[in-house]
Amino acid sequence: MTAIKDGEYTATIYKLIKDGQYVEAIHILNGQLQKHTKSRAALSLMGYCYYHIQDFTNAAECYEQLTQLHPEVEEYKVYYAQSLYKAGAYPEATKASFVLDNPSSHTKMVKLQACIKYCEEDYSAAKSMLEQLPQDDPDYIYNMGCLLYQDGKYEEACKKFMSAMQVLGYVPALSYNIALCYYNLKNYDQAHKYIGEIIERGIKDHPELSVGLTTEGIDLPSVGNTLVLQQTALIEASNLKAAIEYQLKNIKVAQDALTDMPPRSEEELDPVTLHNQALLNMDTKPSEGFEKLAFLLQQPSFPPVTFGNLLLLYCKHEYFDLAADVLAENAHLTYKFLSPYMYEFLDALLTCQTAPEEAFRKFDEMNGKLTEQLRKLAKQLQDVRLVREDEVQKKALQEYDLMQEKYIVVLMAQAKIYWNRENFQMVEKIFRKSVEVCNEDDTWKLNVAHVLFMQNKYKEAIGFYEPIVKKHYDNVEQCNIQECPCKCKPSILNVSAVVLANLCVSYIMTNQNEEAEELMRKIEKEEEQISYDDPDKKVFHLCIVNLVIGTLYCAKGNYDFGISRVIKSLEPYNKKLGTDTWFYAKRCFLSLLENMSKHMVMLRDAVVQECIQFLEHCEAYGKEVPAIIEQPLEEIHTHIGKNTVTYEARLLKALFYEVIGWNK
């Protein structure tokens, strides 16, 4: 930095503050304080700068010194108490607030103490404090709205926030609170409206915050955690937008909402953003996701859902020991952050690993309770339909759907115990017991179809697969499978490739070849459209359908046709060769090699030549394609050179030469 001439320090510092360059101002002020340790001006400006970059701990230190040097100045006492509150030092902030003995500071003291009690989750004390304020005070209305929100009274809270906005005018934080109420009421359209306004105003009023530029691929420096950024509520709005899109299963839009927020370095990220990043990127960066969630759990405060999400994700990735450890180490968090339903579900899920029969009994008990609740809600829903009030009906239907979703989650976990043992008859029996509750749910139908397919009951499986797939035929009707992205854009390619493949196989096995061909034509047509719109995009649906059909013929011993089908399915290699497609293909080749080595199968030379040529193509195109997706928390990783399709294709080619004797 250029040296500042004598007599220009004040002008330079005020210019830096005016331009929002607080860090540079702090650097100069630190130099001045080393020379004049008790300078009131330097300490006051330093406290102001620290407060604006949200370094509240250092701001509190500056104001503490000022209160000791100038006890007659009431403002310093107020700023000291506020800085402590913002720094999360609630007992110290409470103590500092009692020093505010000037009548002019009384109202500020009451408001501050109410905020402290709210943050300490002592809501009754916070309410008592607020009741000392005049009821027409906008802060009274605003803060009462917060208490109502905390009590789960979202509609009443929303009205309070709107009343406060009528008095105060547009305040981004108020607009965000209204959006948050609508989010909890599941009125996503209204929530989007208020979020949109926050983002639009943020872009217009603060172009320096670079909203949305990171999503466009522009690498920008951090804007820092300034007070301006906090006042715009852009971070909160972006996180809420991401949460809404995540609920609607629009994962790409949710990810964009996070990258749209003003750029900050990772160490500057707030806990909510860090949590959302972990959750939304779990499929592509699971190791990072687990690391972020575990880090958050060690902090003094974190989003309430962090604990439950980390446990569920450990279970999803089958790290049951880690989930059990986290649960045991954080027993004090169980009652605070896990609902009874969630705790019982996790307990049963972890019991599966050591005592599956006991886990089955626990799941059965849970479903017994949920069935009773569902029957009551179904009765309420019938009564409400007679009233003919849309809002009441909508709310009752939401409650029923939520309870049904809980029931299905438990049912699937229960069925998985027998699925893992390949006792498909028992799985079918479990599903048939739940017909009364689930017969309209597509997730349930899909799993019934899978279990029928595994028992070679192809005709019955078609009866369950077909209606789900046909909903996507004409891109008109949406299914109600939770993970299905057809909520965003209906398409037959939104149906899982394995479901389409199983339906095709079921058609073939029941001599309905025309239906199988018709389905494959529809898949091919939509894949061609995607290739036209985005030539570089890889789409594997038709490839996987052909691979599964090829695998079926190989399993029946018809390797000539089966292997040829597998080979053709991966053309062109640059678009069809992927980790999943290679997984299906190599299984067929390993099965073929096993049978050839046992002299149970003889292949024509032309087919052998075709196999070698195929493996050479895979070797050429598979250099950048991982052979397997490694588990995120594996301590010993596969060598980077061995975890490629190229390496495995060479191994298979060497095995072929060995079996057919070409290397002798």
Side-chain angles (χ1 to χ4, degrees):
M1 186 178 276
T2 313
I4 302 165
K5 295 176 186 175
D6 285 344
E8 291 183 7
Y9 275 97
T10 305
T12 304
I13 288 163
Y14 274 103
K15 186 176 187 308
L16 288 170
I17 290 171
K18 184 188 172 189
D19 295 343
Q21 296 178 37
Y22 301 110
V23 177
E24 291 84 348
I26 288 167
H27 181 73
I28 297 167
L29 289 164
N30 260 323
Q32 289 300 299
L33 274 171
Q34 285 169 8
K35 297 175 191 173
H36 312 285
T37 54
K38 294 183 180 180
S39 167
R40 177 179 174 179
L43 281 168
S44 179
L45 288 167
M46 186 105 96
Y48 178 86
C49 291
Y50 276 131
Y51 195 90
H52 273 72
I53 62 167
Q54 298 198 67
D55 185 347
F56 300 115
T57 306
N58 275 320
E61 283 179 21
C62 292
Y63 289 124
E64 185 181 20
Q65 289 181 58
L66 285 164
T67 57
Q68 290 165 358
L69 293 167
H70 304 279
E72 74 284 354
V73 182
E74 188 74 7
E75 281 82 357
Y76 293 149
K77 296 175 187 176
V78 174
Y79 300 153
Y80 175 50
Q82 284 177 337
S83 298
L84 287 169
Y85 158 66
K86 289 280 192 178
Y90 302 127
E92 294 86 347
T94 303
K95 189 179 173 184
S97 71
F98 285 124
V99 182
L100 303 173
D101 47 13
N102 193 313
S104 64
S105 305
H106 178 73
T107 305
K108 287 180 184 174
M109 179 192 78
V110 172
K111 288 178 182 178
L112 183 60
Q113 287 177 353
C115 290
I116 292 165
K117 291 298 177 190
Y118 183 86
C119 291
E120 289 179 328
E121 298 180 11
D122 187 351
Y123 303 119
S124 57
K127 190 176 181 182
S128 300
M129 293 283 181
L130 284 178
E131 283 167 353
Q132 296 176 36
L133 299 173
Q135 293 203 3
D136 57 351
D137 185 327
D139 284 340
Y140 168 82
I141 302 167
Y142 190 159
N143 290 328
M144 282 305 286
C146 294
L147 286 169
L148 287 165
Y149 175 86
Q150 196 60 46
D151 203 24
K153 297 173 181 174
Y154 304 120
E155 287 178 7
E156 292 173 49
C158 193
K159 286 173 186 172
K160 286 284 183 191
F161 293 137
M162 285 179 169
S163 301
M165 194 178 267
Q166 285 171 356
V167 179
L168 296 168
Y170 177 78
V171 178
L174 264 176
S175 201
Y176 167 74
N177 285 356
I178 294 167
L180 197 58
C181 289
Y182 280 125
Y183 169 76
N184 281 285
L185 290 165
K186 293 189 165 41
N187 188 341
Y188 297 140
D189 290 339
Q190 280 297 315
H192 265 307
K193 178 187 161 188
Y194 284 92
I195 291 166
E197 188 179 9
I198 293 167
I199 294 169
E200 280 172 30
R201 284 182 182 250
I203 294 167
K204 184 183 172 186
D205 299 342
H206 298 281
E208 75 280 4
L209 294 177
S210 310
V211 178
L213 296 182
T214 307
T215 305
E216 292 172 17
I218 302 167
D219 196 17
L220 293 159
S222 166
V223 298
N225 281 320
T226 61
L227 194 62
V228 169
L229 179 61
Q230 186 200 11
Q231 288 167 346
T232 60
L234 282 166
I235 301 299
E236 293 84 352
S238 298
N239 274 314
L240 187 55
K241 184 180 179 184
I244 291 169
E245 297 301 343
Y246 183 77
Q247 291 293 333
L248 296 171
K249 312 298 172 190
N250 302 331
I251 305 301
K252 180 68 176 71
V253 184
Q255 288 169 336
D256 288 348
L258 290 186
T259 51
D260 276 347
M261 62 174 64
R264 293 174 295 165
S265 57
E266 190 156 297
E267 60 270 16
E268 291 172 329
L269 295 179
D270 57 285
V272 176
T273 303
L274 205 62
H275 168 272
N276 290 348
Q277 279 187 354
L279 207 58
L280 285 167
N281 297 311
M282 206 70 200
D283 289 342
T284 52
K285 299 175 182 176
S287 300
E288 274 185 35
F290 282 125
E291 197 179 314
K292 286 174 181 175
L293 292 172
F295 167 79
L296 282 170
L297 213 58
Q298 293 162 8
Q299 303 311 300
S301 65
F302 48 82
V305 290
T306 307
F307 185 51
N309 283 343
L310 180 59
L311 290 168
L312 287 171
L313 286 165
Y314 275 147
C315 291
K316 181 184 175 183
H317 287 264
E318 299 190 351
Y319 292 119
F320 298 107
D321 290 346
L322 288 173
D325 289 347
V326 169
L327 206 55
E329 288 163 13
N330 299 280
H332 61 291
L333 300 177
T334 304
Y335 301 104
K336 190 175 180 182
F337 295 120
L338 296 182
S339 64
Y341 164 81
M342 178 73 86
Y343 177 75
E344 286 175 25
F345 177 72
L346 285 165
D347 179 47
L349 208 55
L350 295 174
T351 307
C352 280
Q353 311 318 305
T354 51
E357 286 79 10
E358 175 63 12
F360 187 88
R361 187 191 62 75
K362 287 183 177 184
F363 283 133
D364 220 31
E365 274 183 23
M366 283 185 77
N367 265 345
K369 292 179 203 169
L370 291 166
T371 303
E372 280 305 306
Q373 289 173 289
L374 276 166
R375 283 179 182 143
K376 285 177 188 173
L377 287 169
K379 178 75 172 66
Q380 282 178 24
L381 199 56
Q382 282 180 337
D383 295 342
V384 161
R385 280 176 178 153
L386 299 172
V387 178
R388 295 185 181 180
E389 283 186 28
D390 289 347
E391 277 304 310
V392 179
Q393 280 189 28
K394 190 179 175 185
K395 194 175 179 182
L397 190 60
Q398 280 178 352
E399 284 178 15
Y400 183 86
D401 288 345
L402 186 65
M403 194 60 66
Q404 188 186 50
E405 196 177 315
K406 286 180 178 181
Y407 177 88
I408 287 171
V409 167
V410 176
L411 180 74
M412 295 307 158
Q414 189 182 28
K416 195 171 186 288
I417 295 170
Y418 285 100
W419 179 276
N420 290 342
R421 295 176 174 187
E422 297 187 9
N423 186 345
F424 301 120
Q425 285 182 319
M426 191 63 190
V427 177
E428 186 183 347
K429 189 179 173 184
I430 292 166
F431 285 156
R432 292 207 183 277
K433 275 170 64 181
S434 58
V435 171
E436 175 202 347
V437 176
C438 304
N439 64 337
E440 295 298 319
D441 186 85
D442 283 349
T443 305
W444 179 83
K445 288 179 187 175
L446 203 55
N447 283 286
V448 171
H450 289 331
V451 82
L452 291 168
F453 181 85
M454 293 305 290
Q455 295 176 84
N456 300 332
K457 297 179 180 179
Y458 300 113
K459 193 172 180 180
E460 293 96 319
I462 290 169
F464 286 95
Y465 279 134
E466 207 172 50
I468 294 168
V469 172
K470 284 192 172 177
K471 282 184 179 182
H472 298 79
Y473 259 31
D474 302 314
N475 297 353
V476 174
E477 194 177 353
Q478 295 180 359
C479 70
N480 59 21
I481 297 172
Q482 289 300 314
E483 292 78 13
C484 184
C486 74
K487 312 279 187 292
C488 178
K489 185 185 175 186
S491 163
I492 197 166
L493 299 184
N494 288 332
V495 181
S496 162
V498 172
V499 171
L500 296 173
N502 286 359
L503 180 57
C504 266
V505 167
S506 299
Y507 281 143
I508 292 164
M509 297 305 289
T510 53
N511 298 317
Q512 299 180 58
N513 291 353
E514 285 182 16
E515 282 82 353
E517 285 170 14
E518 173 66 17
L519 179 60
M520 291 174 78
R521 276 196 295 271
K522 283 187 178 292
I523 299 166
E524 188 175 13
K525 187 181 173 184
E526 292 216 23
E527 283 196 3
E528 282 172 1
Q529 183 61 46
I530 286 175
S531 296
Y532 178 77
D533 296 338
D534 185 358
D536 297 325
K537 187 173 181 181
K538 287 187 174 184
V539 187
F540 298 121
H541 277 64
L542 188 63
C543 173
I544 289 173
V545 171
N546 278 313
L547 279 167
V548 171
I549 293 169
T551 305
L552 171 72
Y553 280 96
C554 289
K556 299 286 182 187
N558 187 348
Y559 283 100
D560 264 27
F561 181 79
I563 287 291
S564 298
R565 188 84 181 217
V566 167
I567 291 169
K568 285 184 173 62
S569 70
L570 265 79
E571 295 171 358
Y573 296 95
N574 62 327
K575 286 191 178 181
K576 300 297 181 185
L577 186 60
T579 305
D580 288 341
T581 53
W582 175 245
F583 171 77
Y584 286 106
K586 71 183 175 187
R587 287 176 70 195
C588 293
F589 278 89
L590 286 166
S591 167
L592 170 63
L593 285 163
E594 184 186 1
N595 282 300
M596 285 173 72
S597 66
K598 292 175 180 175
H599 301 288
M600 292 170 69
V601 170
M602 289 291 289
L603 275 189
R604 291 180 292 114
D605 282 355
V607 178
V608 172
Q609 192 62 52
E610 197 181 354
C611 290
I612 299 294
Q613 197 175 14
F614 167 77
L615 292 169
E616 283 172 352
H617 282 133
C618 290
E619 192 181 329
Y621 287 96
K623 290 173 186 174
E624 303 297 324
V625 182
I628 55 164
I629 303 295
E630 289 188 278
Q631 285 294 318
L633 301 177
E634 286 295 322
E635 290 181 14
I636 301 167
H637 293 283
T638 310
H639 188 282
I640 193 166
K642 292 183 178 180
N643 189 18
T644 62
V645 168
T646 295
Y647 178 81
E648 290 195 351
R650 283 175 184 162
L651 279 180
L652 284 174
K653 192 167 73 166
L655 282 170
F656 254 105
Y657 286 162
E658 184 79 30
V659 169
I660 58 181
W662 283 12
N663 60 348
K664 290 178 183 176

